[in-house]
Each structure stands twice: as C-alpha cells, then as structure tokens.
Amino acid sequence: MLTTNPFDVSQDGDTLHEECGIFGISGAADAARLVALGLHALQHRGQEAAGITSFDGTEFHTHRAMGHVAGNFDREEVMVPLRGSVACGHVRYSTTGETALRNVQPLYADLASGGFAIAHNGNISNAMRLRRDLVRRGSIFQSTSDTETIIHLSPLPITVRSSTSSSTR
C-alpha cells in the first residue's frame, strides 16, 4: 500500500503536500454543476482524476474520469445526466491503491437500505486488515482503494462491525 505524509519535509523542504479534495452540495438545483466548480477550485489537491455523484431523490448518477476537472466536467453530455439537488465530488491524489478508474471517487454501492456514495480524503490505517476480514466474510471488492472498506462495513450489523474492528486491532 502506498502512503504519503503531507508534512514530510524530506520530499522538498517544509511545504505542505495536500492530498485529494472533496466538495459537496445539498439543496441546490443543479448541485453537480456547483460541485464541479468547487472541485475546479480544489484541483491543486488532486490532478490524477475526478468524479461527481449526484442524487435526484430517486436515483444516483455518477461520472468519474482520469485527468482534470476541466476537460471532464465542462461538457453538457457529462453534466446533464448528473441531475439532482444533492451531489458530492472528489479530486484524486493517490496515496493508496493503484492509479486506475476503478479507484476514482466517489465510490457508489446499492445496499439493501438504498444507494450509498462516499468520497473520502485520508488513509484508513487498518484498511488492509479490514479488507482481509471482509473478504473472508464474503465481500467482493471492486477497487484497490482503502475507501471501499467503508462501503463494505456500512451495511453490517453493529455487532459484526464491532467484531471486525476489534479483531483487526
């Protein structure tokens, strides 16, 4: 697993190394368009890839792509399907997982209780151990991102989550 320390002064002096950017909007018409603007402002935090997931009250809509926000979210054929008054987005600077479309966030899953989208900034320190436990329990992972462990943990009953978490300490 690759990791970086945003405060590592050995890389190029005492500058901050920012990792990823997240932007969300709720209760605004065309929320995805506002998220795209927010991600554009956060582009310096991640230039590897970008993604937006919106919710229209019934369905989730997602577009994820490698590269910058501009060039991926500046076309009507991309933005029109991202309808809804709720949206979240992510610009990626990889610290874990490979550089591939399958790791671009927001990640999305259909659960028994409904859809679930997540954009996360940071590293989950025990992600590999959690992933092994979840795979043993039958989880099937679609990415190599540590963020996906959150999706697999969320539908589990609290007693199972607690035993998974405590068995990994």
Side-chain angles (χ1 to χ4, degrees), residues 31-113:
R33 291 180 191 277
L34 295 173
V35 168
L37 289 172
L39 291 179
H40 185 73
L42 295 172
Q43 186 71 79
H44 66 283
R45 294 188 60 96
Q47 299 186 9
E48 180 180 304
I52 295 176
T53 296
S54 65
F55 182 66
D56 64 12
T58 305
E59 294 182 49
F60 285 84
H61 312 279
T62 298
H63 182 80
R64 302 178 305 154
M66 303 304 290
H68 292 180
V69 175
N72 284 311
F73 293 98
D74 58 355
R75 298 182 320 274
E76 284 300 303
E77 65 267 18
V78 171
M79 296 308 297
V80 168
L82 295 173
R83 60 192 173 279
S85 62
V86 177
C88 66
H90 186 270
V91 288
R92 179 171 166 80
Y93 171 91
S94 63
T95 59
T96 63
E98 65 186 333
T99 301
L101 187 58
R102 68 185 181 153
N103 289 329
V104 178
Q105 296 180 37
L107 299 179
Y108 173 80
D110 280 312
L111 307 176
S113 58

Side-chain angles (χ1 to χ4, degrees), residues 9 19 45 51 55 63 85 95 106 130 133 136 141 160-161:
V9 296
E19 301 169 352
R45 294 188 60 96
F55 182 66
H63 182 80
S85 62
T95 59
L130 286 170
D133 288 350
R136 273 189 231 118
F141 283 78
V160 174
R161 273 189 293 206

Side-chain angles (χ1 to χ4, degrees), residues 124-143:
I124 300 171
S125 60
N126 62 341
M128 294 304 289
R129 203 173 292 151
L130 286 170
R131 184 182 185 107
R132 278 193 303 272
D133 288 350
L134 289 163
V135 168
R136 273 189 231 118
R137 293 177 186 273
S139 290
I140 299 171
F141 283 78
Q142 301 297 313
S143 75

